[in-house]
Amino acid sequence: MYTNIYIMIWKNFSVNAGMNIAETKKDNSPDVRRPIFPFTAIVGQEEMKLSLILNVIDPKIGGVMIMGDRGTGKSTAVRALVDLLPDILVVSDDPFNSDPEDPDNMSDGVREKIQNNEPLLTHTKKIPMIDLPLGATEDRVCGTIDLEKALTEGVKAFEPGLLAQANRGILYVDEVNLLDDHLVDHFILIGSGNPEEGELRPQLLDRFGLHAQIGTVQDPELRVQIVEQRATFDASPLVFRQKYHKQQEQLTHLLYSARDRLKTIQLDTDLRIKISQVCATLHIDGLRGDIVTNRAAKALTCLEERQHVTPEDIFRVLPLCLRHRLRKDPLETIDSGEKVRETFQKIFG
């Protein structure tokens, strides 16, 4: 069931399901969610914001590890990103957020109803973001047998876990460097961490498509701007959000169109060869680095509304794609990206 869970699945947002759906409704329950800080209002941290946006445009990039000091807005940025994304159509009373139009994103129960020509009740909901607790056990993450039904009704039933709730959405782990290693073998995720609390082993780092390094802003004027923004938001969040409404809408539309154009982007063969030469020169294990760099460069080209990937696009995404794949010694710190950039200059000229 979980082989098709990505960080963000952004497709098939049409409300016209067309597959024996009897009724589609809007979830009209009162919105009691705490107002979210606007993504477009975040000052600085360009590497983190770009990494998140590239994953929205192409979820197959495989997520992002955001590593930086505490208090640098890591969790704020992830939650702000979710706020940009559109509602999705789901099958009502289905714990897996099944898409009524896409067989690859349906639970077995929904498929059976469609095969039996049973009507499906659907509604729209915000793309889910699920926080994974550090103490979560494997059965809490993946699901387990429903013991209550087994004991009271004598039937076998599956009780879905956190992965089911995060299906077609985002699974977020704060302080992922403190997470049990074996749990990450079950999913692709967005994680953040503080290097002071311990590094991740190289095998775990390689599971993240991109690696964003962020730090505390040192420019006094920017620090003042950030503090003032936060104070204004806390004092009147709805008024603050309205101030950025236009920018939020523009970015949402840009992400929509970039996602639609992704398959049309051209990456010339000679550039693909040079990307692989960089990876080989840096002794990157496996082919994940090559694949992610290709995808990230195309996603960046989409974001900037162009059709052909350029060497400059590759230069911008290479550190994000490769810096965390250089580590051979678990005690070695992650390269800032200089080694990657130097190798790019040698290969690309």
Side-chain angles (χ1 to χ4, degrees):
M1 174 63 198
Y2 299 118
T3 55
N4 292 302
I5 293 181
Y6 302 109
I7 298 299
M8 282 158 275
I9 302 288
W10 193 359
K11 59 182 178 179
N12 295 335
F13 292 113
S14 168
V15 296
N16 179 19
M19 290 172 65
N20 301 310
I21 296 174
E23 181 180 352
T24 299
K25 66 177 182 179
K26 177 74 175 179
D27 187 354
N28 292 318
S29 57
D31 189 351
V32 294
R33 294 173 301 160
R34 184 175 181 273
I36 297 173
F37 194 86
F39 189 88
T40 53
I42 297 174
V43 176
Q45 312 299 10
E46 300 303 323
E47 207 174 84
M48 172 177 63
K49 291 190 290 188
L50 178 61
S51 297
L52 290 170
I53 285 174
L54 294 182
N55 268 279
V56 171
I57 295 172
D58 186 358
K60 291 183 179 179
I61 286 173
V64 54
M65 175 66 207
I66 305 169
M67 188 64 79
D69 303 332
R70 61 175 65 88
T72 48
K74 299 185 291 292
S75 298
T76 297
V78 175
R79 288 174 173 79
L81 182 75
V82 177
D83 190 44
L84 285 173
L85 305 182
D87 292 352
I88 56 174
L89 185 68
V90 300
V91 177
S92 301
D93 301 322
D94 179 82
F96 301 96
N97 299 318
S98 288
D99 187 333
E101 296 180 304
D102 185 359
D104 288 337
N105 282 305
M106 290 178 188
S107 65
D108 292 339
V110 171
R111 287 197 191 96
E112 289 179 7
K113 287 185 177 181
I114 291 176
Q115 289 171 357
N116 296 331
N117 293 319
E118 297 179 33
L120 298 178
L121 181 65
T122 67
H123 69 277
T124 57
K125 64 180 290 186
K126 288 294 292 182
I127 283 181
M129 173 179 164
I130 304 299
D131 287 279
L132 180 65
L134 292 180
T137 57
E138 189 168 327
D139 58 344
R140 179 74 182 96
V141 173
C142 300
T144 186
I145 295 175
D146 190 332
L147 292 178
E148 183 178 351
K149 280 193 175 182
L151 294 174
T152 59
E153 302 176 22
V155 297
K156 293 181 180 179
F158 178 69
E159 183 179 352
L162 294 173
L163 286 182
Q165 298 176 37
N167 193 28
R168 302 177 65 206
I170 294 176
L171 186 66
Y172 175 58
V173 187
D174 195 7
E175 299 180 345
V176 68
N177 42 340
L178 303 180
L179 186 69
D180 286 344
D181 286 348
H182 74 279
L183 285 178
V184 300
D185 293 333
H186 298 292
F187 49 80
I188 303 172
L189 47 78
I190 287 178
S192 64
N194 183 346
E196 294 180 358
E197 294 168 347
E199 291 281 0
L200 276 75
R201 59 186 176 91
Q203 295 90 338
L204 177 54
L205 278 170
D206 187 57
R207 295 292 301 275
F208 290 91
L210 305 180
H211 184 285
Q213 290 182 337
I214 61 174
T216 303
V217 175
Q218 300 301 327
D219 185 288
E221 292 185 1
L222 283 180
R223 291 174 74 109
V224 169
Q225 183 181 349
I226 294 169
V227 171
E228 289 179 346
Q229 275 194 325
R230 189 71 216 190
T232 304
F233 174 77
D234 289 340
S236 185
L238 297 181
V239 173
F240 186 87
R241 282 177 57 84
Q242 186 59 36
K243 178 181 176 183
Y244 287 89
H245 178 72
K246 185 175 181 180
Q247 293 96 313
Q248 292 281 103
E249 277 197 336
Q250 288 174 342
L251 180 54
T252 297
H253 292 317
L254 177 57
L255 295 177
Y256 261 124
S257 59
R259 176 68 176 172
D260 289 339
R261 293 194 312 272
L262 186 60
K263 292 182 179 179
T264 70
I265 300 302
Q266 302 296 316
L267 178 54
D268 294 340
T269 301
D270 64 318
L271 294 181
R272 294 177 186 270
I273 292 173
K274 287 182 178 179
I275 288 172
S276 291
Q277 285 179 328
V278 171
C279 293
T281 302
L282 291 170
H283 304 291
I284 303 295
D285 291 335
L287 295 176
R288 243 178 224 161
D290 308 55
I291 294 169
V292 170
T293 303
N294 279 267
R295 289 190 175 279
K298 292 173 72 173
L300 177 59
T301 303
C302 278
L303 179 65
E304 299 191 344
E305 302 182 281
R306 293 179 280 104
Q307 284 297 118
H308 291 269
V309 175
T310 66
E312 288 74 19
D313 297 324
I314 298 169
F315 181 76
R316 287 175 61 187
V317 301
L318 261 181
L320 302 175
C321 301
L322 300 183
R323 64 155 67 102
H324 56 302
R325 306 181 198 277
L326 298 177
R327 291 179 63 193
K328 305 299 180 184
D329 182 350
L331 299 179
E332 186 180 350
T333 58
I334 293 179
D335 182 72
S336 65
E338 285 307 310
K339 187 175 182 180
V340 176
R341 295 186 186 97
E342 289 173 3
T343 306
F344 172 91
Q345 297 291 359
K346 292 177 182 178
I347 302 297
F348 281 79

